[in-house]
Amino acid sequence: MSETKSAVNGISELIRRFWFALVIVALVVVVELMPGPRPVDDAFITFRYARNLTNGYGFVYNPGEHVLGTTTPLYMLWLALFSLVTSSRDYPWLALITNVTCDIVTLLLLKRLVHSLGQPEWVSTVIPFVYLFSPLRIGVALGGMETSLVILWLVAASEAYIARDRLGPAAMFSGLAVLTRPDAVLL
């Protein structure tokens, strides 16, 4: 009986400890996954590059025409790899699942980043929720664009540099941001 009580207490403590992460995951699933993908026009360019790469035509928009026309090479490569691994060619859903995952990690890192800036616990808790429910952010995540991945890299770079004083990981995440979207060099 005491082992059962101990196990229940352990589970309760785990839930209390990770409540923020659990709430974030649940809310992101409700806000982003439940509505389903709502791809915007530019996302279809990335999807076509990923499809052509997956089908063996190379890093091209039109087979046989080797012209660089994607502004998000790392995201496109990720979607192609994700497609190969899952055997799915439903790029809008692959993009949405990627964006949901990126947004969850971003929100958790954002809480750590804000807290490391010396803000009170309530501020470091509220700011990720404000970001989570931003209508523009939600639209972009559902739209199949690479923004969720770019923001993840930028927040991870900032968190590594500011919160943990780790220049190596900060540089790596910054480099990944630039490979995802060249204008991320602004950070």
Side-chain angles (χ1 to χ4, degrees), residues 8-182:
V8 168
N9 288 339
I11 291 170
S12 295
E13 178 60 30
L14 185 63
I15 290 171
R16 274 195 299 269
R17 218 163 143 209
F18 296 106
W19 73 270
F20 182 80
L22 295 172
V23 168
I24 288 296
V25 169
L27 287 174
V28 170
V29 165
V30 168
V31 168
E32 293 181 26
L33 266 185
M34 287 183 69
R38 308 263 195 275
V40 297
D41 55 349
D42 282 359
F44 288 102
I45 296 169
T46 304
F47 299 162
R48 185 165 173 169
Y49 267 93
R51 184 187 71 225
N52 284 337
L53 186 60
T54 302
N55 290 336
Y57 298 121
F59 193 18
V60 297
Y61 184 77
N62 292 318
E65 295 179 19
H66 297 280
V67 177
L68 178 63
T70 182
T71 57
T72 181
L74 187 61
Y75 190 69
M76 184 279 304
L77 288 170
W78 166 254
L79 290 177
L81 178 64
F82 197 15
S83 173
L84 286 172
V85 168
T86 62
S87 299
S88 172
R89 298 302 186 253
D90 191 344
Y91 292 99
W93 271 104
L94 295 172
L96 182 58
I97 291 167
T98 297
N99 291 346
V100 163
T101 305
C102 291
D103 290 340
I104 289 168
V105 176
T106 297
L107 290 161
L108 298 174
L109 285 173
L110 189 57
K111 181 175 180 10
R112 285 179 48 175
L113 175 61
V114 172
H115 185 71
S116 73
L117 293 170
Q119 296 301 315
E121 185 66 26
W122 73 270
V123 173
S124 67
T125 301
V126 168
I127 287 181
F129 286 109
V130 170
Y131 178 68
L132 170 64
F133 289 110
S134 165
L136 180 61
R137 188 207 61 77
I138 294 168
V140 171
L142 298 177
M145 300 296 288
E146 70 281 353
T147 307
S148 293
L149 182 58
V150 172
I151 298 296
L152 169 61
W153 297 138
L154 295 176
V155 170
S158 300
E159 191 275 337
Y161 183 72
I162 294 168
R164 294 183 286 138
D165 198 24
R166 304 276 315 267
L167 188 56
M172 179 188 70
F173 293 132
S174 295
L176 290 169
V178 171
L179 289 173
T180 304
R181 187 86 197 159

